């Protein structure tokens, strides 16, 4: 789970639209669409989102510790250690 999943989780968790998130982050709506398809947000929009929602930077950018992982109960799970040995 990465940026795209974390942005989607943020929209659901805070029950906001992509257009609202764009205003909060100080970007245009097409930028949010690019994030939802995997583009990395720049530092300033990340900082605005973190401050506005009271989040950590990792909630937006982290694969293992982001909002999506938290929402799905997968925070910090090492995928290698969860594989069964054959």
């Amino acid at each position: 789970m990465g940026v795209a999943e974390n942005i989607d989780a943020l929209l659901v968790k805070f029950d906001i639209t992509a257009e609202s998130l764009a205003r909060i982050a100080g970007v245009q709506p097409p930028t949010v669409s690019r994030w939802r398809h995997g583009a990395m947000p720049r530092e300033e929009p990340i900082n605005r989102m973190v401050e506005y929602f009271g989040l950590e930077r990792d909630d937006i950018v982290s694969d293992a510790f982001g909002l999506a992982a938290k929402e799905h109960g997968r925070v910090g799970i090492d995928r290698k250690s969860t594989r069964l040995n054959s």
Side-chain angles (χ1 to χ4, degrees):
M1 296 182 187
V3 171
E5 292 86 358
N6 292 333
I7 294 296
D8 284 343
L10 187 148
L11 295 174
V12 171
K13 180 177 179 76
F14 293 99
D15 192 26
I16 61 169
T17 64
E19 291 79 16
S20 295
L21 181 58
R23 283 193 298 277
I24 291 163
V27 299
Q28 296 296 315
T31 302
V32 174
S33 179
R34 286 191 293 275
W35 297 343
R36 294 180 77 188
H37 287 92
M40 178 62 85
R42 294 179 186 251
E43 286 302 314
E44 192 57 37
I46 291 171
N47 293 339
R48 287 182 184 127
M49 289 185 282
V50 163
E51 183 175 328
Y52 185 90
F53 294 109
L55 301 172
E56 300 291 327
R57 186 177 190 284
D58 276 350
D59 289 327
I60 306 295
V61 300
S62 177
D63 193 23
F65 297 100
L67 276 179
K70 290 176 182 176
E71 293 298 313
H72 297 301
R74 298 179 184 149
V75 176
I77 293 176
D78 180 359
R79 289 184 181 96
K80 292 178 185 172
S81 66
T82 60
R83 292 186 185 146
L84 296 175
N85 291 331
S86 306

